[in-house]
PDB file of all heavy atoms in Angstrom:
ATOM      1  N   LEU E  35      97.431 108.341  85.333  1.00 94.00           N
ATOM      2  CA  LEU E  35      98.012 107.395  86.300  1.00 94.00           C
ATOM      3  C   LEU E  35      99.152 106.730  85.693  1.00 94.00           C
ATOM      4  O   LEU E  35     100.309 106.537  86.171  1.00 94.00           O
ATOM      5  CB  LEU E  35      97.072 106.463  86.804  1.00 94.00           C
ATOM      6  CG  LEU E  35      96.170 107.001  87.916  1.00 94.00           C
ATOM      7  CD1 LEU E  35      95.030 105.940  88.288  1.00 94.00           C
ATOM      8  CD2 LEU E  35      96.880 107.421  89.204  1.00 94.00           C
ATOM      9  N   VAL E  36      98.927 106.074  84.509  1.00 94.00           N
ATOM     10  CA  VAL E  36      99.882 105.211  83.780  1.00 94.00           C
ATOM     11  C   VAL E  36     101.108 105.991  83.398  1.00 94.00           C
ATOM     12  O   VAL E  36     102.298 105.604  83.464  1.00 94.00           O
ATOM     13  CB  VAL E  36      99.297 104.553  82.584  1.00 94.00           C
ATOM     14  CG1 VAL E  36     100.301 103.904  81.725  1.00 94.00           C
ATOM     15  CG2 VAL E  36      98.245 103.550  83.100  1.00 94.00           C
ATOM     16  N   ARG E  37     100.934 107.305  82.802  1.00 94.00           N
ATOM     17  CA  ARG E  37     101.954 108.185  82.406  1.00 94.00           C
ATOM     18  C   ARG E  37     102.982 108.384  83.590  1.00 94.00           C
ATOM     19  O   ARG E  37     104.090 108.217  83.552  1.00 94.00           O
ATOM     20  CB  ARG E  37     101.548 109.517  82.032  1.00 94.00           C
ATOM     21  CG  ARG E  37     102.407 110.338  81.337  1.00 94.00           C
ATOM     22  CD  ARG E  37     101.890 111.611  80.801  1.00 94.00           C
ATOM     23  NE  ARG E  37     100.887 111.432  79.893  1.00 94.00           N
ATOM     24  CZ  ARG E  37      99.478 111.794  80.324  1.00 94.00           C
ATOM     25  NH1 ARG E  37      99.351 112.427  81.304  1.00 94.00           N
ATOM     26  NH2 ARG E  37      98.636 111.573  79.425  1.00 94.00           N
ATOM     27  N   ALA E  38     102.410 108.639  84.802  1.00 94.00           N
ATOM     28  CA  ALA E  38     103.265 108.907  86.010  1.00 94.00           C
ATOM     29  C   ALA E  38     103.873 107.609  86.532  1.00 94.00           C
ATOM     30  O   ALA E  38     104.964 107.618  86.864  1.00 94.00           O
ATOM     31  CB  ALA E  38     102.393 109.565  87.180  1.00 94.00           C
ATOM     32  N   MET E  39     103.163 106.508  86.497  1.00 95.00           N
ATOM     33  CA  MET E  39     103.628 105.209  86.973  1.00 95.00           C
ATOM     34  C   MET E  39     104.613 104.583  86.050  1.00 95.00           C
ATOM     35  O   MET E  39     105.560 103.914  86.514  1.00 95.00           O
ATOM     36  CB  MET E  39     102.400 104.304  87.202  1.00 95.00           C
ATOM     37  CG  MET E  39     101.595 104.841  88.430  1.00 95.00           C
ATOM     38  SD  MET E  39      99.983 103.863  88.708  1.00 95.00           S
ATOM     39  CE  MET E  39     100.646 102.465  89.425  1.00 95.00           C
ATOM     40  N   THR E  40     104.533 104.896  84.849  1.00 95.00           N
ATOM     41  CA  THR E  40     105.506 104.482  83.763  1.00 95.00           C
ATOM     42  C   THR E  40     106.796 105.171  84.029  1.00 95.00           C
ATOM     43  O   THR E  40     107.928 104.405  84.066  1.00 95.00           O
ATOM     44  CB  THR E  40     105.043 104.536  82.408  1.00 95.00           C
ATOM     45  OG1 THR E  40     103.823 103.860  82.124  1.00 95.00           O
ATOM     46  CG2 THR E  40     106.065 104.015  81.456  1.00 95.00           C
ATOM     47  N   ALA E  41     106.715 106.278  84.264  1.00 94.00           N
ATOM     48  CA  ALA E  41     107.879 107.146  84.480  1.00 94.00           C
ATOM     49  C   ALA E  41     108.702 106.786  85.672  1.00 94.00           C
ATOM     50  O   ALA E  41     109.891 106.840  85.811  1.00 94.00           O
ATOM     51  CB  ALA E  41     107.577 108.727  84.559  1.00 94.00           C
ATOM     52  N   SER E  42     107.893 106.270  86.711  1.00 93.00           N
ATOM     53  CA  SER E  42     108.543 105.900  87.990  1.00 93.00           C
ATOM     54  C   SER E  42     108.843 104.486  88.030  1.00 93.00           C
ATOM     55  O   SER E  42     109.251 103.836  89.006  1.00 93.00           O
ATOM     56  CB  SER E  42     107.639 106.240  89.219  1.00 93.00           C
ATOM     57  OG  SER E  42     106.427 105.733  89.270  1.00 93.00           O
ATOM     58  N   GLY E  43     108.723 103.703  86.952  1.00 95.00           N
ATOM     59  CA  GLY E  43     109.013 102.397  86.861  1.00 95.00           C
ATOM     60  C   GLY E  43     108.066 101.415  87.477  1.00 95.00           C
ATOM     61  O   GLY E  43     108.452 100.187  87.875  1.00 95.00           O
ATOM     62  N   LEU E  44     106.718 101.825  87.675  1.00 96.00           N
ATOM     63  CA  LEU E  44     105.792 100.951  88.393  1.00 96.00           C
ATOM     64  C   LEU E  44     104.956 100.186  87.437  1.00 96.00           C
ATOM     65  O   LEU E  44     104.455  99.074  87.720  1.00 96.00           O
ATOM     66  CB  LEU E  44     104.925 101.775  89.390  1.00 96.00           C
ATOM     67  CG  LEU E  44     105.567 102.371  90.352  1.00 96.00           C
ATOM     68  CD1 LEU E  44     104.774 103.366  91.192  1.00 96.00           C
ATOM     69  CD2 LEU E  44     106.312 101.385  91.380  1.00 96.00           C
ATOM     70  N   VAL E  45     104.842 100.755  86.276  1.00 96.00           N
ATOM     71  CA  VAL E  45     103.875 100.077  85.251  1.00 96.00           C
ATOM     72  C   VAL E  45     104.576  99.949  83.967  1.00 96.00           C
ATOM     73  O   VAL E  45     105.528 100.830  83.553  1.00 96.00           O
ATOM     74  CB  VAL E  45     102.535 100.873  85.004  1.00 96.00           C
ATOM     75  CG1 VAL E  45     101.801 100.477  83.847  1.00 96.00           C
ATOM     76  CG2 VAL E  45     101.811 100.950  86.183  1.00 96.00           C
ATOM     77  N   GLU E  46     104.447  98.938  83.285  1.00 94.00           N
ATOM     78  CA  GLU E  46     105.148  98.573  81.986  1.00 94.00           C
ATOM     79  C   GLU E  46     104.038  98.538  80.852  1.00 94.00           C
ATOM     80  O   GLU E  46     103.045  97.897  81.085  1.00 94.00           O
ATOM     81  CB  GLU E  46     105.848  97.318  82.012  1.00 94.00           C
ATOM     82  CG  GLU E  46     106.954  97.309  83.012  1.00 94.00           C
ATOM     83  CD  GLU E  46     107.553  95.906  83.081  1.00 94.00           C
ATOM     84  OE1 GLU E  46     107.100  94.931  82.599  1.00 94.00           O
ATOM     85  OE2 GLU E  46     108.687  95.819  83.861  1.00 94.00           O
ATOM     86  N   ARG E  47     104.358  99.215  79.704  1.00 92.00           N
ATOM     87  CA  ARG E  47     103.369  99.126  78.636  1.00 92.00           C
ATOM     88  C   ARG E  47     103.949  97.997  77.651  1.00 92.00           C
ATOM     89  O   ARG E  47     105.160  98.002  77.416  1.00 92.00           O
ATOM     90  CB  ARG E  47     103.433 100.401  77.805  1.00 92.00           C
ATOM     91  CG  ARG E  47     102.882 101.603  78.655  1.00 92.00           C
ATOM     92  CD  ARG E  47     103.089 102.892  77.805  1.00 92.00           C
ATOM     93  NE  ARG E  47     102.800 104.097  78.467  1.00 92.00           N
ATOM     94  CZ  ARG E  47     101.719 104.730  78.378  1.00 92.00           C
ATOM     95  NH1 ARG E  47     100.814 104.282  77.485  1.00 92.00           N
ATOM     96  NH2 ARG E  47     101.401 105.807  79.115  1.00 92.00           N
ATOM     97  N   LYS E  48     103.143  97.111  77.263  1.00 88.00           N
ATOM     98  CA  LYS E  48     103.539  96.036  76.430  1.00 88.00           C
ATOM     99  C   LYS E  48     102.784  96.058  75.191  1.00 88.00           C
ATOM    100  O   LYS E  48     101.473  95.929  75.143  1.00 88.00           O
ATOM    101  CB  LYS E  48     103.269  94.679  77.119  1.00 88.00           C
ATOM    102  CG  LYS E  48     104.016  94.628  78.438  1.00 88.00           C
ATOM    103  CD  LYS E  48     103.875  93.182  79.142  1.00 88.00           C
ATOM    104  CE  LYS E  48     104.690  93.145  80.325  1.00 88.00           C
ATOM    105  NZ  LYS E  48     105.468  91.927  80.412  1.00 88.00           N
ATOM    106  N   PRO E  49     103.434  96.296  74.023  1.00 84.00           N
ATOM    107  CA  PRO E  49     102.704  96.333  72.751  1.00 84.00           C
ATOM    108  C   PRO E  49     101.908  95.044  72.388  1.00 84.00           C
ATOM    109  O   PRO E  49     102.522  93.979  72.782  1.00 84.00           O
ATOM    110  CB  PRO E  49     103.762  96.691  71.681  1.00 84.00           C
ATOM    111  CG  PRO E  49     105.130  96.544  72.331  1.00 84.00           C
ATOM    112  CD  PRO E  49     104.890  96.308  73.862  1.00 84.00           C
ATOM    113  N   SER E  50     100.815  95.156  71.692  1.00 72.00           N
ATOM    114  CA  SER E  50     100.085  94.043  71.229  1.00 72.00           C
ATOM    115  C   SER E  50     100.911  93.211  70.091  1.00 72.00           C
ATOM    116  O   SER E  50     101.453  93.986  69.355  1.00 72.00           O
ATOM    117  CB  SER E  50      98.742  94.384  70.833  1.00 72.00           C
ATOM    118  OG  SER E  50      98.111  93.397  70.093  1.00 72.00           O
ATOM    119  N   SER E  51     100.902  91.995  70.130  1.00 71.00           N
ATOM    120  CA  SER E  51     101.478  91.301  68.957  1.00 71.00           C
ATOM    121  C   SER E  51     100.774  91.348  67.646  1.00 71.00           C
ATOM    122  O   SER E  51     101.183  91.040  66.650  1.00 71.00           O
ATOM    123  CB  SER E  51     101.874  89.945  69.506  1.00 71.00           C
ATOM    124  OG  SER E  51     100.672  89.210  69.861  1.00 71.00           O
ATOM    125  N   THR E  52      99.436  91.625  67.860  1.00 74.00           N
ATOM    126  CA  THR E  52      98.571  91.598  66.765  1.00 74.00           C
ATOM    127  C   THR E  52      98.175  93.027  66.209  1.00 74.00           C
ATOM    128  O   THR E  52      97.783  93.121  65.075  1.00 74.00           O
ATOM    129  CB  THR E  52      97.196  90.771  67.038  1.00 74.00           C
ATOM    130  OG1 THR E  52      96.549  91.397  68.180  1.00 74.00           O
ATOM    131  CG2 THR E  52      97.520  89.346  67.341  1.00 74.00           C
ATOM    132  N   ASP E  53      98.149  94.036  67.053  1.00 71.00           N
ATOM    133  CA  ASP E  53      97.743  95.313  66.703  1.00 71.00           C
ATOM    134  C   ASP E  53      98.769  96.329  67.285  1.00 71.00           C
ATOM    135  O   ASP E  53      98.740  96.622  68.525  1.00 71.00           O
ATOM    136  CB  ASP E  53      96.353  95.678  67.176  1.00 71.00           C
ATOM    137  CG  ASP E  53      95.814  96.930  66.831  1.00 71.00           C
ATOM    138  OD1 ASP E  53      96.574  97.809  66.128  1.00 71.00           O
ATOM    139  OD2 ASP E  53      94.628  97.238  66.938  1.00 71.00           O
ATOM    140  N   LEU E  54      99.603  96.916  66.493  1.00 71.00           N
ATOM    141  CA  LEU E  54     100.660  97.834  66.962  1.00 71.00           C
ATOM    142  C   LEU E  54     100.096  99.095  67.544  1.00 71.00           C
ATOM    143  O   LEU E  54     100.795  99.737  68.325  1.00 71.00           O
ATOM    144  CB  LEU E  54     101.735  98.067  65.889  1.00 71.00           C
ATOM    145  CG  LEU E  54     102.455  96.877  65.318  1.00 71.00           C
ATOM    146  CD1 LEU E  54     103.275  97.251  64.232  1.00 71.00           C
ATOM    147  CD2 LEU E  54     103.279  96.182  66.596  1.00 71.00           C
ATOM    148  N   ARG E  55      98.770  99.427  67.254  1.00 76.00           N
ATOM    149  CA  ARG E  55      98.299 100.537  67.939  1.00 76.00           C
ATOM    150  C   ARG E  55      97.747 100.424  69.380  1.00 76.00           C
ATOM    151  O   ARG E  55      97.522 101.461  70.037  1.00 76.00           O
ATOM    152  CB  ARG E  55      97.000 101.033  67.090  1.00 76.00           C
ATOM    153  CG  ARG E  55      97.432 101.482  65.678  1.00 76.00           C
ATOM    154  CD  ARG E  55      96.251 101.671  64.884  1.00 76.00           C
ATOM    155  NE  ARG E  55      95.496 100.393  64.697  1.00 76.00           N
ATOM    156  CZ  ARG E  55      94.202 100.197  64.320  1.00 76.00           C
ATOM    157  NH1 ARG E  55      93.485 101.241  63.904  1.00 76.00           N
ATOM    158  NH2 ARG E  55      93.753  99.020  64.227  1.00 76.00           N
ATOM    159  N   THR E  56      97.681  99.191  69.821  1.00 81.00           N
ATOM    160  CA  THR E  56      97.264  98.895  71.187  1.00 81.00           C
ATOM    161  C   THR E  56      98.277  98.477  72.147  1.00 81.00           C
ATOM    162  O   THR E  56      99.356  97.863  71.618  1.00 81.00           O
ATOM    163  CB  THR E  56      96.073  97.826  71.238  1.00 81.00           C
ATOM    164  OG1 THR E  56      96.489  96.737  70.641  1.00 81.00           O
ATOM    165  CG2 THR E  56      94.918  98.400  70.444  1.00 81.00           C
ATOM    166  N   VAL E  57      98.161  98.699  73.369  1.00 87.00           N
ATOM    167  CA  VAL E  57      99.205  98.223  74.368  1.00 87.00           C
ATOM    168  C   VAL E  57      98.325  97.518  75.600  1.00 87.00           C
ATOM    169  O   VAL E  57      97.165  97.798  75.669  1.00 87.00           O
ATOM    170  CB  VAL E  57     100.007  99.310  74.926  1.00 87.00           C
ATOM    171  CG1 VAL E  57     100.815  99.978  73.932  1.00 87.00           C
ATOM    172  CG2 VAL E  57      99.080 100.489  75.702  1.00 87.00           C
ATOM    173  N   SER E  58      99.037  96.698  76.205  1.00 90.00           N
ATOM    174  CA  SER E  58      98.615  96.202  77.474  1.00 90.00           C
ATOM    175  C   SER E  58      99.535  96.789  78.588  1.00 90.00           C
ATOM    176  O   SER E  58     100.568  97.140  78.331  1.00 90.00           O
ATOM    177  CB  SER E  58      98.662  94.703  77.395  1.00 90.00           C
ATOM    178  OG  SER E  58      97.766  94.154  76.595  1.00 90.00           O
ATOM    179  N   LEU E  59      98.761  96.761  79.773  1.00 93.00           N
ATOM    180  CA  LEU E  59      99.595  97.311  80.951  1.00 93.00           C
ATOM    181  C   LEU E  59      99.903  96.147  81.801  1.00 93.00           C
ATOM    182  O   LEU E  59      98.992  95.328  82.069  1.00 93.00           O
ATOM    183  CB  LEU E  59      98.787  98.348  81.648  1.00 93.00           C
ATOM    184  CG  LEU E  59      98.332  99.574  80.886  1.00 93.00           C
ATOM    185  CD1 LEU E  59      97.308 100.448  81.562  1.00 93.00           C
ATOM    186  CD2 LEU E  59      99.448 100.354  80.370  1.00 93.00           C
ATOM    187  N   ALA E  60     100.940  96.259  82.494  1.00 95.00           N
ATOM    188  CA  ALA E  60     101.493  95.331  83.508  1.00 95.00           C
ATOM    189  C   ALA E  60     102.155  95.960  84.618  1.00 95.00           C
ATOM    190  O   ALA E  60     102.830  96.998  84.349  1.00 95.00           O
ATOM    191  CB  ALA E  60     102.329  94.225  82.907  1.00 95.00           C
ATOM    192  N   ALA E  61     102.087  95.424  85.837  1.00 96.00           N
ATOM    193  CA  ALA E  61     102.754  96.099  86.960  1.00 96.00           C
ATOM    194  C   ALA E  61     104.231  95.482  86.812  1.00 96.00           C
ATOM    195  O   ALA E  61     104.445  94.316  86.501  1.00 96.00           O
ATOM    196  CB  ALA E  61     102.236  95.545  88.338  1.00 96.00           C
ATOM    197  N   SER E  62     105.080  96.369  87.050  1.00 96.00           N
ATOM    198  CA  SER E  62     106.601  96.106  86.979  1.00 96.00           C
ATOM    199  C   SER E  62     107.021  95.121  88.186  1.00 96.00           C
ATOM    200  O   SER E  62     106.204  95.132  89.190  1.00 96.00           O
ATOM    201  CB  SER E  62     107.448  97.226  86.982  1.00 96.00           C
ATOM    202  OG  SER E  62     107.463  97.785  88.306  1.00 96.00           O
ATOM    203  N   PRO E  63     108.026  94.227  87.947  1.00 96.00           N
ATOM    204  CA  PRO E  63     108.416  93.432  89.171  1.00 96.00           C
ATOM    205  C   PRO E  63     108.688  94.382  90.483  1.00 96.00           C
ATOM    206  O   PRO E  63     108.342  93.993  91.494  1.00 96.00           O
ATOM    207  CB  PRO E  63     109.627  92.728  88.579  1.00 96.00           C
ATOM    208  CG  PRO E  63     109.537  92.724  87.099  1.00 96.00           C
ATOM    209  CD  PRO E  63     108.822  94.078  86.774  1.00 96.00           C
ATOM    210  N   HIS E  64     109.172  95.508  90.114  1.00 94.00           N
ATOM    211  CA  HIS E  64     109.428  96.365  91.413  1.00 94.00           C
ATOM    212  C   HIS E  64     108.125  96.743  92.043  1.00 94.00           C
ATOM    213  O   HIS E  64     107.947  96.716  93.266  1.00 94.00           O
ATOM    214  CB  HIS E  64     110.205  97.699  90.814  1.00 94.00           C
ATOM    215  CG  HIS E  64     110.319  98.814  91.897  1.00 94.00           C
ATOM    216  ND1 HIS E  64     111.035  98.559  93.081  1.00 94.00           N
ATOM    217  CD2 HIS E  64     109.797 100.013  91.845  1.00 94.00           C
ATOM    218  CE1 HIS E  64     110.888  99.759  93.753  1.00 94.00           C
ATOM    219  NE2 HIS E  64     110.086 100.619  93.093  1.00 94.00           N
ATOM    220  N   ALA E  65     107.130  97.007  91.246  1.00 95.00           N
ATOM    221  CA  ALA E  65     105.799  97.426  91.710  1.00 95.00           C
ATOM    222  C   ALA E  65     105.166  96.206  92.518  1.00 95.00           C
ATOM    223  O   ALA E  65     104.520  96.384  93.506  1.00 95.00           O
ATOM    224  CB  ALA E  65     104.903  98.001  90.593  1.00 95.00           C
ATOM    225  N   LEU E  66     105.286  95.107  91.911  1.00 96.00           N
ATOM    226  CA  LEU E  66     104.620  93.946  92.651  1.00 96.00           C
ATOM    227  C   LEU E  66     105.404  93.580  93.962  1.00 96.00           C
ATOM    228  O   LEU E  66     104.697  93.313  94.930  1.00 96.00           O
ATOM    229  CB  LEU E  66     104.785  92.728  91.573  1.00 96.00           C
ATOM    230  CG  LEU E  66     103.936  92.583  90.431  1.00 96.00           C
ATOM    231  CD1 LEU E  66     104.350  91.579  89.496  1.00 96.00           C
ATOM    232  CD2 LEU E  66     102.505  92.700  90.735  1.00 96.00           C
ATOM    233  N   ASP E  67     106.714  93.840  94.011  1.00 94.00           N
ATOM    234  CA  ASP E  67     107.441  93.694  95.198  1.00 94.00           C
ATOM    235  C   ASP E  67     106.858  94.745  96.188  1.00 94.00           C
ATOM    236  O   ASP E  67     106.783  94.415  97.335  1.00 94.00           O
ATOM    237  CB  ASP E  67     108.850  93.900  95.070  1.00 94.00           C
ATOM    238  CG  ASP E  67     109.781  93.962  96.323  1.00 94.00           C
ATOM    239  OD1 ASP E  67     109.726  92.831  96.990  1.00 94.00           O
ATOM    240  OD2 ASP E  67     110.329  94.838  96.708  1.00 94.00           O
ATOM    241  N   LEU E  68     106.778  95.989  95.850  1.00 92.00           N
ATOM    242  CA  LEU E  68     106.325  97.094  96.736  1.00 92.00           C
ATOM    243  C   LEU E  68     104.930  96.760  97.242  1.00 92.00           C
ATOM    244  O   LEU E  68     104.592  96.781  98.395  1.00 92.00           O
ATOM    245  CB  LEU E  68     106.282  98.433  96.047  1.00 92.00           C
ATOM    246  CG  LEU E  68     107.484  99.208  95.706  1.00 92.00           C
ATOM    247  CD1 LEU E  68     107.218 100.310  94.858  1.00 92.00           C
ATOM    248  CD2 LEU E  68     108.115  99.494  97.094  1.00 92.00           C
ATOM    249  N   LEU E  69     103.952  96.236  96.443  1.00 92.00           N
ATOM    250  CA  LEU E  69     102.574  95.873  96.755  1.00 92.00           C
ATOM    251  C   LEU E  69     102.685  94.730  97.735  1.00 92.00           C
ATOM    252  O   LEU E  69     101.871  94.697  98.624  1.00 92.00           O
ATOM    253  CB  LEU E  69     101.872  95.540  95.479  1.00 92.00           C
ATOM    254  CG  LEU E  69     100.317  95.392  95.582  1.00 92.00           C
ATOM    255  CD1 LEU E  69      99.738  96.659  96.255  1.00 92.00           C
ATOM    256  CD2 LEU E  69      99.728  95.059  94.330  1.00 92.00           C
ATOM    257  N   SER E  70     103.476  93.828  97.486  1.00 93.00           N
ATOM    258  CA  SER E  70     103.638  92.575  98.463  1.00 93.00           C
ATOM    259  C   SER E  70     104.021  93.042  99.725  1.00 93.00           C
ATOM    260  O   SER E  70     103.642  92.620 100.845  1.00 93.00           O
ATOM    261  CB  SER E  70     104.683  91.534  97.819  1.00 93.00           C
ATOM    262  OG  SER E  70     104.829  90.468  98.688  1.00 93.00           O
ATOM    263  N   ARG E  71     105.085  93.840  99.837  1.00 92.00           N
ATOM    264  CA  ARG E  71     105.652  94.543 101.073  1.00 92.00           C
ATOM    265  C   ARG E  71     104.551  95.348 101.784  1.00 92.00           C
ATOM    266  O   ARG E  71     104.478  95.140 102.939  1.00 92.00           O
ATOM    267  CB  ARG E  71     106.894  95.293 100.929  1.00 92.00           C
ATOM    268  CG  ARG E  71     108.015  94.427 100.377  1.00 92.00           C
ATOM    269  CD  ARG E  71     109.336  95.240  99.994  1.00 92.00           C
ATOM    270  NE  ARG E  71     109.629  96.392 100.883  1.00 92.00           N
ATOM    271  CZ  ARG E  71     110.214  97.475 100.378  1.00 92.00           C
ATOM    272  NH1 ARG E  71     110.647  97.576  99.049  1.00 92.00           N
ATOM    273  NH2 ARG E  71     110.487  98.456 101.200  1.00 92.00           N
ATOM    274  N   TYR E  72     103.861  96.026 101.023  1.00 90.00           N
ATOM    275  CA  TYR E  72     102.744  96.874 101.621  1.00 90.00           C
ATOM    276  C   TYR E  72     101.794  95.985 102.325  1.00 90.00           C
ATOM    277  O   TYR E  72     101.322  96.261 103.351  1.00 90.00           O
ATOM    278  CB  TYR E  72     102.206  97.748 100.584  1.00 90.00           C
ATOM    279  CG  TYR E  72     100.937  98.549 101.123  1.00 90.00           C
ATOM    280  CD1 TYR E  72     101.007  99.652 101.775  1.00 90.00           C
ATOM    281  CD2 TYR E  72      99.634  97.918 100.888  1.00 90.00           C
ATOM    282  CE1 TYR E  72      99.843 100.189 102.295  1.00 90.00           C
ATOM    283  CE2 TYR E  72      98.559  98.506 101.408  1.00 90.00           C
ATOM    284  CZ  TYR E  72      98.664  99.659 102.137  1.00 90.00           C
ATOM    285  OH  TYR E  72      97.510 100.280 102.614  1.00 90.00           O
ATOM    286  N   ASP E  73     101.286  94.996 101.521  1.00 91.00           N
ATOM    287  CA  ASP E  73     100.382  94.076 102.100  1.00 91.00           C
ATOM    288  C   ASP E  73     100.733  93.308 103.277  1.00 91.00           C
ATOM    289  O   ASP E  73     100.017  93.173 104.224  1.00 91.00           O
ATOM    290  CB  ASP E  73      99.847  93.116 101.070  1.00 91.00           C
ATOM    291  CG  ASP E  73      99.012  93.715  99.993  1.00 91.00           C
ATOM    292  OD1 ASP E  73      98.465  94.844 100.165  1.00 91.00           O
ATOM    293  OD2 ASP E  73      98.833  93.114  98.832  1.00 91.00           O
ATOM    294  N   ARG E  74     101.978  92.920 103.282  1.00 93.00           N
ATOM    295  CA  ARG E  74     102.517  92.122 104.393  1.00 93.00           C
ATOM    296  C   ARG E  74     102.626  93.009 105.668  1.00 93.00           C
ATOM    297  O   ARG E  74     102.134  92.670 106.753  1.00 93.00           O
ATOM    298  CB  ARG E  74     103.938  91.568 104.040  1.00 93.00           C
ATOM    299  CG  ARG E  74     104.520  90.781 105.282  1.00 93.00           C
ATOM    300  CD  ARG E  74     105.931  90.249 104.803  1.00 93.00           C
ATOM    301  NE  ARG E  74     106.694  91.181 104.171  1.00 93.00           N
ATOM    302  CZ  ARG E  74     107.475  92.145 104.713  1.00 93.00           C
ATOM    303  NH1 ARG E  74     107.496  92.402 105.928  1.00 93.00           N
ATOM    304  NH2 ARG E  74     108.246  92.946 104.020  1.00 93.00           N
ATOM    305  N   VAL E  75     103.158  94.204 105.489  1.00 92.00           N
ATOM    306  CA  VAL E  75     103.344  95.089 106.614  1.00 92.00           C
ATOM    307  C   VAL E  75     102.055  95.696 107.136  1.00 92.00           C
ATOM    308  O   VAL E  75     101.923  95.888 108.412  1.00 92.00           O
ATOM    309  CB  VAL E  75     104.323  96.223 106.236  1.00 92.00           C
ATOM    310  CG1 VAL E  75     104.423  97.143 107.374  1.00 92.00           C
ATOM    311  CG2 VAL E  75     105.767  95.612 105.917  1.00 92.00           C
TER     312      VAL E  75
END
C-alpha cells in the first residue's frame, strides 16, 4: 500500500533521526485534504 501511495503522493516516508534504517509514515497534506473532503461530502 505504501509503495503505491508514496508514488501517488499520498504518503510520505520520514527517516528516523536516531536510526537511519527505520522510517515513519505520514499522510501527505494532499492526502489529508482528500480525506477531509471525502468525510465532509
Side-chain angles (χ1 to χ4, degrees):
L35 284 170
V36 168
R37 188 176 310 111
M39 294 173 76
T40 300
S42 61
L44 297 173
V45 171
E46 298 173 348
R47 296 174 186 258
K48 300 183 178 225
S50 168
S51 58
T52 58
D53 183 353
L54 297 178
R55 296 171 296 166
T56 62
V57 297
S58 291
L59 304 173
S62 71
H64 172 64
L66 292 173
D67 176 63
L68 285 175
L69 193 57
S70 174
R71 289 170 47 208
Y72 171 83
D73 287 344
R74 178 181 45 79
V75 174

